[in-house]
Amino acid sequence: AQSVSQHNHHVILSEAASLELGCNYSYGGTVNLFWYVQYPGQHLQLLLKYFSGDPLVKGIKGFEAEFIKSKFSFNLRKPSVQWSDTAEYFCAVNSNQGGKLIFGQGTELSVKP
Amino acid sequence: GAGVSQSPSNKVTEKGKDVELRCDPISGHTALYWYRQSLGQGLEFLIYFQGNSAPDKSGLPSDRFSAERTGGSVSTLTIQRTQQEDSAVYLCASSPQETGYGYTFGSGTRLTVV
């Protein structure tokens, strides 16, 4: 069955700390991969996506993610977090043929000023 | 429109009543998706419409849930005989094509069943 697993449910960091949020997926076939962010009281927004090509993708606000096919992983990273990065982060996958996105459970990130 | 519009933004209903949730996608987007977001549960896929194709209903949790999309645009999600476990935020998203490129989410409808 198709699934996405996010290892951390809640991460607490101080400002300027480095961030890495884990994401593993189970999906037969070629995939598209996404990270979405939901700031408090706001709707889901796309952070970055991977369709093909360079497995290291860069998104908005200094975030990046690396697709490692052999590990079925798509971890999200940021070298130095800010208080404004406090939000919930969702990893998602779908087939490269399109269709529904399968989301992970989400990781809540709290950044202490 | 400029974004995906959902109405109502909040709905409180009594257990056993039927509710209808509306989604107005971005004009020209051929794909429309419904998800449910419950506390600590992430986003659960419900149903997906793509153009004139038969919808993918594989995520609907029970036969109390149904959805339609009229004229390839507006969609309505109906929950019959609501139960307390139906309380959640119901999110709609649309994309210009079915490849998953460019999902845009609405702000959701927060449903509370009392």
Side-chain angles (χ1 to χ4, degrees):
Chain A
Q2 306 152 0
S3 66
V4 177
S5 175
Q6 293 182 238
H7 315 300
N8 313 101
H9 295 296
H10 192 186
V11 173
I12 302 172
L13 295 173
S14 298
E15 276 195 316
S18 64
L19 170 72
E20 181 160 4
L21 301 182
C23 172
N24 286 91
Y25 65 92
S26 172
Y27 205 104
T30 306
V31 297
N32 300 322
L33 293 153
F34 306 81
W35 275 96
Y36 281 84
V37 61
Q38 189 171 31
Y39 297 103
Q42 296 189 27
H43 60 270
L44 278 160
Q45 302 171 42
L46 181 66
L47 260 184
L48 49 78
K49 60 184 183 289
Y50 171 81
F51 283 2
S52 64
D54 188 344
L56 183 63
V57 293
K58 295 190 183 299
I60 60 172
K61 305 187 179 185
F63 286 91
E64 65 179 31
E66 184 175 13
F67 171 47
I68 303 179
K69 188 175 180 180
S70 61
K71 295 185 178 180
F72 299 92
S73 70
F74 191 56
N75 292 356
L76 181 71
R77 299 194 292 250
K78 185 171 183 179
S80 176
V81 295
Q82 301 174 319
W83 176 79
S84 58
D85 293 325
T86 295
E88 190 155 17
Y89 293 80
F90 294 91
C91 182
V93 63
N94 75 346
S95 162
N96 73 331
Q97 301 302 309
K100 64 194 180 197
L101 280 175
I102 305 298
F103 284 86
Q105 302 275 55
T107 297
E108 184 180 350
L109 173 65
S110 299
V111 180
K112 296 179 179 178
Chain B
V4 176
S5 178
Q6 291 189 245
S7 61
S9 54
N10 279 284
K11 175 75 176 177
V12 180
T13 189
E14 292 181 353
K15 179 180 172 181
K17 300 281 190 183
D18 297 352
V19 294
E20 285 189 351
L21 312 180
R22 177 188 168 104
C23 173
D24 204 339
I26 292 175
S27 178
H29 279 194
T30 59
L32 186 148
Y33 313 81
W34 283 98
Y35 289 83
R36 178 167 71 175
Q37 186 175 19
S38 306
L39 192 62
Q41 299 296 314
L43 278 83
E44 176 188 5
F45 166 76
L46 297 177
I47 187 169
Y48 154 52
F49 297 90
Q50 169 55 36
N52 295 321
S53 303
D56 176 353
K57 303 180 182 180
S58 60
L60 294 178
S62 78
D63 59 8
R64 296 187 295 105
F65 288 72
S66 63
E68 63 177 21
R69 188 178 185 191
T70 54
S73 181
V74 172
S75 177
T76 302
L77 177 69
T78 301
I79 309 173
Q80 296 179 309
R81 305 181 303 281
T82 51
Q83 304 294 313
Q84 288 185 328
E85 61 263 29
D86 300 334
S87 296
V89 176
Y90 289 82
L91 293 170
C92 177
S94 69
S95 70
Q97 53 196 0
E98 67 174 359
T99 59
Y101 176 80
Y103 265 55
T104 301
F105 280 87
S107 298
T109 294
R110 181 175 297 278
L111 175 67
T112 304
V113 182
V114 297

